[in-house]
Amino acid sequence: MTLLAPIRAVCFDWGGTLMSEQGPDDIPMALWPAVALVEGALECLQALDGQVPLAIASNASLSSRPMVERALARVGIERYFSHIFCFVEIGHRKDQAAFWQVVARELAVPLDSLAMLGDSYEQDALGPRRFGVQGVWFNPHGRLPKGEIATPQVQRLTTFSAWVTTALPPPSR
């Protein structure tokens, strides 16, 4: 299954999608002794670099934008992101319409031309789809959700970047 609608911006979940969540859960990731990229994250970002605006959309409760930026810098990927949307600053989560209203306004794109990729089926794929966002579930372990899968899913980040590339609108003349 691929994304069919044209995409003008992409949001990525942060922990568990781009960066490993293997660390203490009581301090911000930026302060962990060690941080790491998820397999394929750098290749995915490199493939999309310059194609569309890339953003982080996070429900993290311990990290504000500066802490997310610091963690991204530790693995060398901060330069890829034009925007970072954090629950602690917006006050809403990714399964709430108000979160996506902020994202659409800041990125200046309609919700239906925004793709969201993340490892939480409910928060990153199903929830955003309720508001018109093209939510895609990053499911590297092939887990089965409760009930029927109602969203596209990928097991590799590079598969997602290939989908986005094929769903880019044609260049304007």
Side-chain angles (χ1 to χ4, degrees):
M1 181 176 229
T2 61
L3 300 172
L4 301 177
I7 295 172
R8 294 181 39 209
V10 174
C11 287
F12 288 92
D13 175 54
W14 172 40
T17 302
L18 294 176
M19 293 181 68
S20 171
E21 292 184 304
Q22 300 298 314
D25 59 4
D26 59 342
I27 61 172
M29 186 186 295
L31 304 177
W32 290 1
V35 292
L37 285 172
V38 168
E39 181 182 342
L42 183 59
E43 295 82 358
C44 177
L45 294 172
Q46 288 171 335
L48 296 175
D49 188 29
Q51 302 291 319
V52 290
L54 304 178
I56 297 288
S58 177
N59 281 346
S61 59
L62 295 176
S63 296
S64 63
R65 179 186 175 103
M67 292 305 270
V68 173
E69 289 171 338
R70 189 170 165 188
L72 295 170
R74 289 184 65 191
V75 292
I77 61 171
E78 75 285 359
R79 71 174 194 85
Y80 292 102
F81 301 100
S82 63
H83 292 76
I84 297 175
F85 302 101
C86 300
F87 161 72
V88 297
E89 293 169 355
I90 295 174
H92 298 279
R93 295 190 179 277
K94 292 180 279 186
D95 64 348
Q96 296 175 309
F99 185 95
W100 295 106
Q101 291 165 356
V102 170
V103 171
R105 182 180 68 244
E106 293 294 319
L107 292 175
V109 298
L111 289 173
D112 63 357
S113 66
L114 177 64
M116 170 67 203
L117 177 72
D119 67 319
S120 168
Y121 178 66
E122 292 79 15
Q123 290 291 316
D124 299 319
L126 195 58
R129 291 182 81 77
R130 290 185 193 116
F131 311 111
V133 175
Q134 297 181 59
V136 178
W137 184 26
F138 175 50
N139 185 12
H141 306 293
R143 296 186 316 259
L144 296 174
K146 296 176 185 165
E148 187 175 327
I149 296 176
T151 66
Q153 64 176 306
V154 295
Q155 288 189 294
R156 296 182 169 190
L157 293 171
T158 52
T159 301
F160 177 73
S161 58
W163 285 6
V164 170
T165 301
T166 62
L168 293 173
S172 55
R173 297 179 185 215

